[in-house]
Amino acid sequence: MLSIKNVHKSFGNNEILKGVDLSIDKGDVVVILGPSGSGKTTLLRCLNFLEKADQGHATFGEIDVNLHDAKKKDIHAIRQKIAFVFQNYNLFNNKTALENVIEGLIIGRKVPKNEAIEIGKKALSKVGLTDKYDAYPSQLSGGQQQRVGIARAVALNPDIILFDEPTSALDPELVGEVLAVMKNIANEGTTMLVVTHEMSFAKDVANRVIFMDGGVVVEEGNPHEIFVKPKEERTKKFLKRVLPEDYSFFI
């Protein structure tokens, strides 16, 4: 479904991505782990053209593009295949939950309003917000706002959803409700690429885990390979920092 080769991105003299390769098949749930500053978020933003890569090639289904100088029509076609869930929700504060969800359908996909409303209500129901159609972001908790963000992505019926640290802005007690929604979506067969620090989600839901550090993919494998039998010293050091000393219970 998605394949990228040799993606580079710098901001000034700061080289963030140093030649990243990645492939994702339909139905995959791929989690990217790594320390802050390792390039995880930048990679997602380059995939959705929120940032322009300095170098790299991507294949999205039948579309082949140079990530640095992709044509507008190709960018538009790729964005029709991808939905993005942001770290800080990115909701319109002056629109209700339902209006936030249907905005992309009406404006971006030219879906008739009545049809968009039906799709939007189904998407909000899927994330457990049937009673919040008319609520504004200020009337919702952080977890509920992020669930609106996920509903907005689901409503687009994309080929893949990119999640950029979707729980990092939440209070700890709200993290579980968002992860539960993501797990349900994954169980329905949705293809997902998730940047997160939630190790339990990576262990329980992902079929592949990628460890990034210093702008490169250091190691990848299934959760057992990464958490139980990591090969690379950088991966081992990272896991030692972020997991309890005895994490046999985690495995």
Side-chain angles (χ1 to χ4, degrees), residues 67-121:
L67 290 174
H68 179 65
D69 58 4
K71 297 175 182 177
K72 284 186 178 180
K73 67 179 181 63
D74 288 331
I75 293 173
H76 177 74
I78 288 166
R79 284 178 169 167
Q80 298 293 303
K81 296 174 176 290
I82 296 176
F84 203 106
V85 176
F86 296 87
Q87 180 177 338
N88 293 308
Y89 326 136
N90 279 28
L91 302 180
F92 296 106
N93 290 323
N94 63 336
K95 295 184 182 294
T96 65
L98 181 58
E99 288 169 340
N100 267 283
V101 171
I102 67 175
E103 182 81 3
L105 291 169
I106 295 172
I107 304 299
R109 300 287 175 87
K110 309 300 182 187
V111 176
K113 186 173 182 179
N114 287 344
E115 184 181 339
I117 288 171
E118 289 305 308
I119 294 170
K121 286 181 175 179

Side-chain angles (χ1 to χ4, degrees), residues 60-204:
F60 296 81
E62 71 283 0
I63 305 171
D64 284 324
V65 293
N66 182 316
L67 290 174
H68 179 65
D69 58 4
K71 297 175 182 177
K72 284 186 178 180
K73 67 179 181 63
D74 288 331
I75 293 173
H76 177 74
I78 288 166
R79 284 178 169 167
Q80 298 293 303
K81 296 174 176 290
I82 296 176
F84 203 106
V85 176
F86 296 87
Q87 180 177 338
N88 293 308
Y89 326 136
N90 279 28
L91 302 180
F92 296 106
N93 290 323
N94 63 336
K95 295 184 182 294
T96 65
L98 181 58
E99 288 169 340
N100 267 283
V101 171
I102 67 175
E103 182 81 3
L105 291 169
I106 295 172
I107 304 299
R109 300 287 175 87
K110 309 300 182 187
V111 176
K113 186 173 182 179
N114 287 344
E115 184 181 339
I117 288 171
E118 289 305 308
I119 294 170
K121 286 181 175 179
K122 287 179 181 177
L124 284 167
S125 298
K126 186 173 287 190
V127 301
L129 293 176
T130 51
D131 58 339
K132 299 294 184 181
Y133 295 160
D134 298 322
Y136 288 89
S138 62
Q139 299 169 312
L140 301 172
S141 70
Q144 289 170 329
Q145 289 184 64
Q146 190 58 293
R147 284 191 277 157
V148 173
I150 294 172
R152 176 176 57 192
V154 168
L156 296 171
N157 192 30
D159 289 352
I160 183 171
I161 302 179
L162 310 180
F163 292 82
D164 181 21
E165 299 194 27
T167 61
S168 64
L170 300 177
D171 293 333
E173 66 270 19
L174 300 177
V175 169
E177 67 184 64
V178 172
L179 292 179
V181 167
M182 291 172 62
K183 186 173 183 178
N184 288 339
I185 293 170
N187 288 339
E188 292 177 355
T190 304
T191 307
M192 299 163 60
L193 179 60
V194 185
V195 168
T196 185
H197 293 293
E198 299 295 335
M199 300 295 160
S200 60
F201 179 86
K203 177 183 75 76
D204 295 337

